[in-house]
Structure formats: structure tokens, C-alpha cells
Amino acid sequence: MIGRLGIFLALSISFLAGQSLASCRLSRLEWMEQNSWGSCLQADISLFSKNYSGENGKHASGLAWSEVYGSVFARPWLSLHLKAFGGRTDTNGTNQGDDATWNRTTEQFFLQMGHPLQSQVYGAVGRVPLPFGINDVLGRHSLDSRAEGFWDRSATGTRISFLIREDLRGEFGAAWTDEEDVFNSRAEVLSGRLTKLTDLLNGTKLVASYQALTDNSLRKYGLGTIVYHDENRTSLEWVRLTYRDKLDDFQQVFRLVHRQVAHPVSWDFQYEDIRRDSYRLSLQVNRELPLVDWSPCTLTGGVHYERLRRAKAVHQGYLLLGLTFGLATSLIDEGA
């Protein structure tokens, strides 16, 4: 029997600027040849309410957040990318009192030379996502994850990717913690990833990752695989952390995520297990709603259960209801 159950009710509305953003983020060679430059802008705005009961007591909160993604392409080898997030949470908690918090961050802002789909070698400098693992997760903004520390979202530094052979690619990155004096400080984090495509199970990607602080105080190892079948996808990932001052101890996480698509319905399942900490089960169902021709709408419902491994077990549950829809805009110069 569940000891504590939190109920998470959400209504989210997303506004997207751009046509299909895939044509600008990952453009085909023909598109790059026919257009001298292009730009995309995506702005997501979400509002939801949350009722929670668990390890941190009971509280109700409302959240408003916005995520912005923008890019400008100069064909076919130069592009500028920006991804920023901002949100406000208003909490009225029975145990915590009234509170309001703001969270703002520039997750990515980098200049990229080359293109992931067209160039054998491409690189980026700025605030970049370091090449490590898969980090496939449900409800990134709507639910807090206890496994966030296993993956790095972005850092100030540089990364390079090169094609070793047709089905094998290597990626390496370095990041600095002293953002005000990058060029005079040594790299604090070194990260690398190998990805290999195979025709196993109609399409499988194998991923091996390694990351370390330059003083070797912390190391990360990761293995993962993504299996594709039409629009369906299954990912398995394992990540381990080891510490120099705790040679006989380590921490690790295992995550399984599956997406099944049968238009107009799709569903996602996630199992996440953190050694000696917690495990989480999530089931999310999405249904496309043809409300208007010019804006795709999706109705989402999710059930999430989490158990914390404590001397006395703590149980937490969430119920997620949401509505998402969007528009798209892009600017393209067709005078190649």
C-alpha cells in the first residue's frame, strides 16, 4: 500500500514559432544547397498546477515557464544556436509556507561549424551540450529527476565530432568552470562519446561514453543503446560515477524508456533505478487532437510512481494531465 501519494495535475500550453523545425535543425543537403541562409525560432510557454505529497511534505504550486530555441544557418557550414529557459513557481505549502522562486538559465549558446548530417567533421564553441550518454527522460520540466547529476546538460567549452567510418562517429568535448576567463584556464572536464549504427533489429545505435574532471576526482562511464522501428523507439542506458576519494564506492543509474506510436495515439514508458537511492515508474499516453488545421494539438496523461530507498520507505506518486499545441515560423533566403 502506498504510504504517501502526491497528485500532479497540469495543464500546459505550448506556442511554437517555426514550420517544421526539423527542416532547419537537421536540413537535408538539397535544402542547404537551395537556400543561402535560414533561421528558426521556437518558443514554448507552459502553465500548470501541482499538488504534491511525499518526502518533502505536502504543498500546492503553480508554475509558468518558457523555453526558447533559436538558430540561424549560413549554408552549409556555419550556424548559431540558442536555447534558454525561464520559469516561476508559486508555492502555497502546508508544511513549507508561501514562497515564489524564479529559475532562469541559458542552456545553450554556441557557434557551430559544419553540420551533423552533412559534414564528416564539425565542431562548436560556446555554451555547448557535452557529448555524454543519451539522457532520454520523460517530463523534464514537469517532474524533477533525482538522476540529473548523472548527465551534464551544457557547459562553457568546445566540442568536436568526426566520422571515423560510415557507421561509427567519435565526439570529444572540453569545458571550463571559470566562465569569465576561459582562454586562460585549463579544461576542467573532458568528455568523449562513440556512437555506432547497426542494422540489428531494423536499426540500432550503440553509445559508449566517458567523462572525467581533469584532477580525476570524478569519473563517469556510460553505455547505452537506442533501437528504432518506424516511429517506435526503445532506449536502454547505464551510467556509473566513481570518486577518487571513495575507491570502494560508486553510484550508478539504469534507465529504460520505450515509445510506441500508433497514430493518433502514442505512449511512453520509463523505468529509472538509482542504486541505493530510488526507482521510478512512469507511463504517459499522448493523443493527437485535430482541433485546428494550422496547429497540431496533443492531449497528454501520465502516471508516475517513485519509491525512495530509506530506512523507512517513502512513496511518492504523480498524475499528469496536459494539453500541448504549437505553431511554426522560419525565415529562409531562397536567393542561393
Side-chain angles (χ1 to χ4, degrees):
M1 181 176 181
I2 297 179
R4 298 182 182 179
L5 179 65
I7 304 299
F8 180 94
L9 299 175
L11 178 64
S12 68
I13 303 176
S14 296
F15 299 95
L16 307 182
Q19 303 176 25
S20 176
L21 291 174
S23 66
C24 195
R25 287 186 181 179
L26 298 175
S27 306
R28 300 184 306 273
L29 181 60
E30 295 81 3
W31 185 95
M32 300 294 284
E33 290 178 342
Q34 295 171 4
N35 303 282
S36 59
W37 68 271
S39 65
C40 292
L41 178 65
Q42 171 181 328
D44 297 335
I45 301 174
S46 291
L47 306 171
F48 65 81
S49 62
K50 177 180 179 180
N51 293 296
Y52 166 83
S53 177
E55 183 184 30
N56 298 322
K58 298 180 180 180
H59 62 83
S61 62
L63 173 64
W65 61 262
S66 177
E67 184 178 78
V68 177
Y69 173 86
S71 63
V72 178
F73 284 74
R75 74 171 175 103
W77 53 272
L78 187 64
S79 57
L80 182 67
H81 301 262
L82 168 68
K83 186 177 182 182
F85 168 83
R88 174 187 170 95
T89 303
D90 292 289
T91 302
N92 181 12
T94 56
N95 295 344
Q96 297 180 348
D98 296 341
D99 193 16
T101 58
W102 285 90
N103 181 23
R104 296 182 297 272
T105 181
T106 301
E107 292 188 338
Q108 300 176 21
F109 185 49
F110 60 90
L111 182 68
Q112 180 169 289
M113 292 154 284
H115 195 277
L117 295 186
Q118 311 304 334
S119 307
Q120 289 191 341
V121 179
Y122 68 92
V125 62
R127 187 162 184 81
V128 296
L130 290 176
F132 183 87
I134 303 172
N135 198 15
D136 193 4
V137 62
L138 294 180
R140 175 185 170 190
H141 294 306
S142 57
L143 291 176
D144 294 330
S145 173
R146 300 179 65 86
E148 286 185 357
F150 288 89
W151 294 271
D152 297 303
R153 290 183 177 175
S154 296
T156 300
T158 185
R159 63 180 291 175
I160 186 171
S161 176
F162 56 91
L163 194 65
I164 301 174
R165 46 188 290 182
E166 184 178 357
D167 57 354
L168 181 64
R169 178 171 286 275
E171 301 171 273
F172 294 94
W176 296 267
T177 57
D178 185 2
E179 299 183 9
E180 296 181 355
D181 194 14
V182 170
F183 295 103
N184 293 324
S185 61
R186 65 189 180 93
E188 298 289 345
V189 182
L190 298 176
S191 184
R193 178 171 61 188
L194 287 175
T195 59
K196 178 177 175 59
L197 294 173
T198 74
D199 57 2
L200 180 67
L201 300 175
N202 294 323
T204 301
K205 177 184 287 187
L206 305 176
V207 182
S209 305
Y210 174 78
Q211 186 178 108
L213 298 182
T214 52
D215 62 3
N216 286 323
S217 61
L218 173 65
R219 296 182 181 182
K220 297 182 183 181
Y221 308 85
L223 293 174
T225 182
I226 307 175
V227 179
Y228 304 92
H229 187 269
D230 298 327
E231 296 183 65
N232 306 324
R233 184 183 69 184
T234 302
S235 67
L236 290 166
E237 187 170 16
W238 166 85
V239 176
R240 172 175 285 192
L241 305 183
T242 61
Y243 306 89
R244 182 177 58 186
D245 57 348
K246 299 179 181 179
L247 297 179
D248 57 345
D249 195 12
F250 62 91
Q251 185 57 289
Q252 66 183 20
V253 62
F254 172 80
R255 180 184 285 170
L256 164 68
V257 180
H258 175 74
R259 161 159 285 197
Q260 188 76 24
V261 180
H263 292 292
V265 177
S266 64
W267 60 270
D268 301 273
F269 170 79
Q270 175 179 304
Y271 172 72
E272 179 180 277
D273 193 304
I274 304 176
R275 177 177 180 258
R276 296 187 302 187
D277 181 89
S278 64
Y279 68 83
R280 175 183 289 184
L281 293 168
S282 302
L283 179 63
Q284 184 168 294
V285 180
N286 314 289
R287 179 176 176 82
E288 299 173 2
L289 301 177
L291 299 182
V292 289
D293 295 336
W294 46 266
S295 179
C297 298
T298 303
L299 180 65
T300 299
V303 178
H304 309 266
Y305 166 73
E306 185 173 61
R307 182 181 182 222
L308 307 183
R309 296 183 171 108
R310 301 288 187 267
K312 181 178 180 181
V314 177
H315 306 269
Q316 301 175 160
Y318 309 84
L319 174 64
L320 176 67
L321 299 175
L323 178 66
T324 302
F325 65 93
L327 298 173
T329 66
S330 61
L331 298 176
I332 299 173
D333 179 13
E334 298 181 354

